[in-house]
Structure formats: structure tokens, C-alpha cells
Amino acid sequence: EIYGGLNGFWDYGPMGAELKRNLRDTWWQTMTRDRDDVVGLDASIIMHPTVWTASGHVDTFSDPMSTCKHCKKLVRSDQWWAMMAEQNWTQSIAELIEPGTNRFQPAVLLKWGKGKGKQLAPNLALVRNPDVTISWVAEEIEKGRGPADATELYKFLATEQMAITGLVTPCPHCGGELTAPRPFNLMFRSHYGPVESEDNICYLRPETAQAIFVQFKNVLDSSRVKVPFGIAQIGKAFRNEITPRNYTFRSREFEQMELEFFIRPDDAVRLIHGQVEKWREGADLSATSPAWGWEMWHRYWVDQRTKYYDSVGLGTDVLDYHWQKPEELAHYARATVDILFKFPFGTEELEGIAARGDFDLSQHQKFSGKQLEVFDEELKAAVDKLSDEQKKEFIDKLFEDRKCADTTREESAAYADKLFKGFYLPHVIEPSAGLDRMALAVLAAAFDEETVTDEKGKAETRTVLRLHPRIAPVKCAIFPLLKNRPELVAKAREVEASLRRHMNIFYDEAGAIGRRYRRQDEIG
């Protein structure tokens, strides 16, 4: 702060540090120590650059970016309208529009452009050349070619002569003209070693997941785990966001809590158990089954994560869910559900739970040249009991199921041959949560204001954080009733000493007892 700060980077003070640590600890306890099928990992932030080539981040990890031709600020194009809605100048214009329509009085907007608009949006066409802009806009409206909706209305007001430039997209910050969107890679690029060159380029990781995939085989070979099992990690990630916004919700340095849960492909499950248990309404998710297919595992983890949020004070009253439609899914995903939280600035994603198939492991196997397939003894034993005819029937069905993916019969047979030998690449279910977003969510849900009246009838509004005990920064506070009574202070200090090794506590002997209570209420 003493240097003005950097946009998109945040420090957490004493209480925030405790809150985040408690959230980390509850997540780690729930995801690893309370289970016998998940182990942990702590990978480095900077990894071999080919990791990011294989994962697709070098080529495709980008957002559309526009630049204002006037103020030179950058705007993430797919968030343009959300940013516009927050601006003072757009809200000021909205007050001049007839409610529920896009109609307006040209003279009223002309007055705005020559007056208030000069301070609010100095580079808007309506402000720079109000008479010309209003003239052609009014003409278009008379011909029945006026703005179709609110977004187009602001583009009309940002355009001096549509016949010359076409409709202009205004900059949310100043109203000036934005350039056409262009891709902007979000990874922070750096170099390792003493000399900067193209040979030692590296990147700050944009996610923690890829480290889990590249260390998958090491973990499998060195731990007493077998599929299905998970690898969990908590760590910093970095994305060079074009427009960080909404406080700590979207920042450039943040912390992720991710689990990659590796499962048998449905084809292997079918060979072992003769069937694949698929999701159906009312299915029991309380106990896992060896015959579960990816759909059941995906639903299971949605259910598990919902229970976790409830355990830290984020119940169904503040959560929502978005099941992505086929056209919204990443190219590798079979299904993704976003767990949403009702933030004060809108309902936004808190966590994504994706069924990623075998995309990640297959990519790293391809780029590294190292075999990442697992050998499944149970699968091999099941296949050895099949007749040649049964194997042929399996290949026929496999080919029919995979036709839509343009897979040839030869490719299907080659894939089946690996299964018959007991080998496969595990598929993955990925619950991925943002720690900073979670901290912001619990603060928003816990914030409360209460009005109390003293004995003299004077009303006072007090701030209270109603945090769940598991994540509260301070677990216990010790107050000696009177600080000038040595025996009371000695007893209070004795209680403090006995509790300090077990939890974060706070000792306070300053001020009236009621004031000391209020201090604790304010920090939850």
C-alpha cells in the first residue's frame, strides 16, 4: 500500500491469514486425512516448459483482449458488458432512458453529452461530438433502425458516423473506441538460470493440476495406492488477468485447492464387472461401488463437495449449480458442473468439478514419450476368463460406441488389445476450488449488521461476522473481568497457557467487558 499496490495482487492481514489457513486445513483434512484413497502432493511453481505445451496452455490459454484507443486501458472483451454495468457514466445514461425500453429524448442526451458526460466519459462520441452523434442516432431511430437492446444503445452513443466506422464498442473506463478483440496469453513468462534466452524460458504455473498429472506415475509407484485413488494439492497459481476485478474474486496471484481423482475407464469396469453402473435419479452416493462408471463418480464428487461447503457454513441457501451444456464444455470434458456462490456482486463460480477423461495423461504420455498407463491385475484376471467370441463382441460394441468420435475399427481393436493385457490410462474427475474465492465467500455469507438499543434508548448498528467455528480465525478469547485483580489475571493467564497449544486464542484485558465481546464478534 505504501507504494500504491499492484492491481490483482492482495495481502492478507493477521485475521485473513488465520482464516485462509483454517480453510486450507479443513479442505486438506476432508480430502486426504479423512479418506484412505487420496494422497497429497506439493509440487514446484515453476516446472519444465514442455508441461505447458503438452497441456495446451502455451497455444490456447488465452482470453480475448481489447485496448482503448484513447485511454490505452485493456479490457477483457468477454467481460465488456459486465464492466459496463458497473460504470458511473453508463448508470448515469440509464437514468435518462425510458424504463423498460431503449427509447430516449435526444435533447436530454444532448444536454448530458455537453454537461455531465464531460467528467464521466470524456472520450465517448456523444461527449466529443454531441451534435453529430445525436443527429445520426435520431435519424436511425426515425427509420426504425434504432438500438435493439441496451448493449447496442451504448455502441450507438459511442459512434460518431456509423456509415464511416460502423458501430463502435465503447471503453468502459472512458467511453473511447475499443480495438477488435485479440488473444492474450494469461501465463506469466520468465527465465531460469543466469542468462535470459529462448532456451531457458519458463512459466509461473497457471494451475496446480498439471503437476499432479506429470507426477502421477511417481505417486502410483511409490505409494500404496491403486485405482481408484486421488492426488490432492494446495498451492499458488498465477494468471495475468487482463482486468482483475471484484476484490479478491479475480486476481493475478491466487491459491488453488485441487484434487485429481483417477478412476477406471468405463470399458475396463465393464470387462471386470460385466456392467457399468450409471447415474440415475435417486442413486445412492453414500457408499462407492467398484462398478461405478464416470457419471457416478462425477455425481459423487459434486455431492462430497456440497457437503464440505455446508460443513464450513456455506449451505444450499447461498450455493447454486450450473451444469454446463455440451456447447459450453471444454473439448476434453465429458461433463462439468460449476458450484456457484451468491456473492454481493452476483452469482459466480466457486468451484468447478469436471470429468476430464484421459486427456491430460494421454497428452503427457505423448509429449514425454513415457508410459503412464497402469496395469490392473483385476482387469487382466477378468479378461483371461473371456472366450475369443466374447472378446470379439466387446470389440464390436466398442467400435459402435466410438463411431461418433471418428475412431476406426483398427483403433478400437488396438485400444481393446491394451485392455485385454490389463493396461489403461485412468480417467479423471477433478474438483478444483479457489481458496481466495472461498475466503471471500465465507466473509460475504458471515457478514451481518445488527441494531441494538442501550438502556438510554440509543440505537447503534454493530458489525458481526457469523463464521462457522471450524474456520473462525480465533477459537477462544480469555477476558479477566478486572485487570487490577492479580488473582483473576493469574487464573486467566493459566487458562490461556493451557489452551494456546490446542487452538488460536486471544487474551484481552483492556476496556469494558462488553467492548471486548464486541471485538470478538467483529472478527467472527
Side-chain angles (χ1 to χ4, degrees):
E1 279 186 357
I2 62 172
Y3 293 107
L6 279 177
N7 191 17
F9 298 92
W10 296 90
D11 297 340
Y12 288 77
M15 293 302 161
E18 288 291 338
L19 176 68
K20 281 187 70 175
R21 180 169 295 280
N22 290 343
L23 284 169
R24 277 192 212 98
D25 290 346
T26 58
W27 188 90
W28 194 260
Q29 181 72 35
T30 301
M31 300 297 269
T32 65
R33 293 178 180 172
D34 289 348
R35 308 178 62 97
D36 59 7
D37 57 354
V38 176
V39 293
L41 182 71
D42 184 8
S44 64
I45 287 171
I46 294 178
M47 297 187 292
H48 195 289
T50 308
V51 169
W52 306 113
T53 304
S55 65
H57 284 80
V58 171
D59 295 327
T60 63
F61 191 62
S62 60
D63 281 337
M65 177 184 72
S66 296
T67 306
C68 178
K69 294 180 179 180
H70 296 264
C71 71
K72 307 303 180 186
K73 289 185 177 179
L74 303 178
V75 175
R76 183 168 156 179
S77 307
D78 58 345
Q79 294 177 355
W80 170 77
W81 181 241
M83 293 182 67
M84 287 282 287
E86 299 171 351
Q87 305 305 313
N88 291 333
W89 70 268
T90 58
Q91 294 170 7
S92 178
I93 289 177
E95 294 173 359
L96 307 178
I97 309 301
E98 293 180 25
T101 73
N102 295 315
R103 294 193 296 271
F104 57 86
Q105 296 295 324
V108 174
L109 274 188
L110 186 64
K111 181 181 177 182
W112 184 91
K114 292 181 176 181
K116 187 184 290 188
K118 291 182 179 180
Q119 287 77 41
L120 297 178
N123 296 316
L124 188 69
L126 176 63
V127 175
R128 286 186 289 107
N129 204 339
D131 294 302
V132 172
T133 302
I134 282 293
S135 175
W136 82 261
V137 171
E139 189 177 314
E140 291 294 305
I141 292 174
E142 284 181 15
K143 294 177 180 178
R145 299 197 297 254
D149 53 29
T151 60
E152 198 169 86
L153 169 65
Y154 292 105
K155 292 180 180 180
F156 268 58
L157 301 180
T159 308
E160 275 191 47
Q161 292 283 6
M162 187 166 70
I164 298 173
T165 62
L167 275 183
V168 167
T169 301
C171 168
H173 304 289
C174 73
E177 182 180 351
L178 290 176
T179 62
R182 62 188 186 277
F184 173 77
N185 193 285
L186 300 178
M187 285 198 294
F188 281 98
R189 179 169 160 162
S190 186
H191 297 82
Y192 61 91
V195 179
E196 289 189 12
S197 71
E198 290 297 310
D199 295 330
N200 63 354
I201 288 174
C202 60
Y203 303 93
L204 300 186
R205 65 184 180 195
E207 64 176 36
T208 56
Q210 295 306 317
I212 296 176
F213 295 124
V214 298
Q215 293 293 358
F216 162 75
K217 204 68 164 62
N218 274 343
V219 173
L220 181 67
D221 294 343
S222 62
S223 306
R224 299 193 65 180
V225 291
K226 63 178 183 178
V227 179
F229 79 98
I231 303 175
Q233 181 172 211
I234 300 174
K236 291 275 191 174
F238 305 82
R239 296 182 184 179
N240 196 11
E241 291 283 353
I242 299 166
T243 48
R245 49 200 291 271
N246 290 333
Y247 191 41
T248 55
F249 178 80
R250 190 180 301 283
S251 53
R252 291 181 168 122
E253 177 183 340
F254 55 95
E255 209 159 347
Q256 284 186 306
M257 303 187 293
E258 293 193 302
L259 169 70
E260 305 303 328
F261 195 80
F262 300 94
I263 60 174
R264 286 167 170 156
D266 283 9
D267 300 315
V269 174
R270 185 178 294 109
L271 284 169
I272 296 170
H273 300 285
Q275 63 168 354
V276 177
E277 190 174 339
K278 297 186 176 182
W279 165 255
R280 64 191 184 285
E281 287 296 333
D284 182 13
L285 296 173
S286 61
T288 62
S289 164
W292 274 8
W294 71 265
E295 288 178 300
M296 286 295 288
W297 279 114
H298 187 237
R299 295 277 183 163
Y300 167 80
W301 277 110
V302 173
D303 181 65
Q304 289 292 301
R305 298 304 299 142
T306 298
K307 289 176 178 175
Y308 167 80
Y309 284 116
D310 187 58
S311 75
V312 295
L314 299 179
T316 54
D317 57 324
V318 292
L319 295 181
D320 204 348
Y321 302 85
H322 173 64
W323 292 86
Q324 292 189 14
K325 299 172 184 174
E327 62 270 19
E328 297 176 292
L329 291 172
H331 65 91
Y332 52 77
R334 288 180 160 185
T336 298
V337 61
D338 298 326
I339 299 181
L340 311 174
F341 177 79
K342 298 169 186 176
F343 288 99
F345 47 80
T347 301
E348 299 283 356
E349 181 186 346
L350 195 59
E351 173 168 352
I353 303 170
R356 298 176 67 106
D358 64 358
F359 171 78
D360 300 279
L361 288 179
S362 64
Q363 283 292 100
H364 289 300
Q365 180 170 267
K366 173 184 173 183
F367 276 79
S368 69
K370 304 291 174 57
Q371 287 300 310
L372 300 180
E373 294 168 337
V374 303
F375 176 72
D376 191 319
E377 293 181 2
E378 196 174 353
L379 172 62
K380 185 66 170 65
V383 170
D384 288 345
K385 297 177 183 178
L386 299 179
S387 65
D388 289 343
E389 183 59 31
Q390 287 174 316
K391 291 180 181 178
K392 181 179 179 302
E393 289 175 1
F394 177 82
I395 295 174
D396 290 340
K397 187 175 187 319
L398 193 64
F399 175 57
E400 288 300 316
D401 291 344
R402 292 156 64 94
K403 262 185 180 178
C404 60
D406 296 325
T407 302
T408 65
R409 187 174 186 83
E410 289 73 23
E411 289 171 332
S412 297
Y415 170 63
D417 186 56
K418 285 198 173 183
L419 289 174
F420 294 160
K421 292 176 181 176
F423 289 93
Y424 57 76
L425 277 176
H427 288 212
V428 173
I429 307 296
E430 178 194 71
S432 175
L435 176 55
D436 299 88
R437 289 186 178 186
M438 197 182 297
L440 183 58
V442 299
L443 286 173
F447 182 83
D448 192 18
E449 290 179 329
E450 60 181 17
T451 302
V452 294
T453 305
D454 62 20
E455 63 274 9
K456 296 179 180 179
K458 182 181 177 182
E460 178 189 1
T461 300
R462 292 175 174 176
T463 301
V464 182
L465 274 184
R466 304 186 186 280
L467 292 170
H468 191 283
R470 290 184 76 192
I471 57 174
V474 176
K475 304 297 186 191
C476 179
I478 296 96
F479 308 148
L481 190 57
L482 298 170
K483 68 177 180 179
N484 58 358
R485 293 278 297 275
E487 67 274 19
L488 286 180
V489 172
K491 179 56 69 175
R493 288 296 187 184
E494 184 182 328
V495 173
E496 177 196 11
S498 68
L499 290 177
R500 190 169 289 282
R501 73 185 66 180
H502 301 292
M503 63 188 77
N504 188 36
I505 62 173
F506 190 86
Y507 179 90
D508 191 0
E509 60 182 27
I513 193 73
R515 187 179 297 273
R516 285 181 264 171
Y517 284 146
R518 298 309 303 178
R519 290 172 187 154
Q520 299 305 315
D521 289 342
E522 285 188 335
I523 62 169

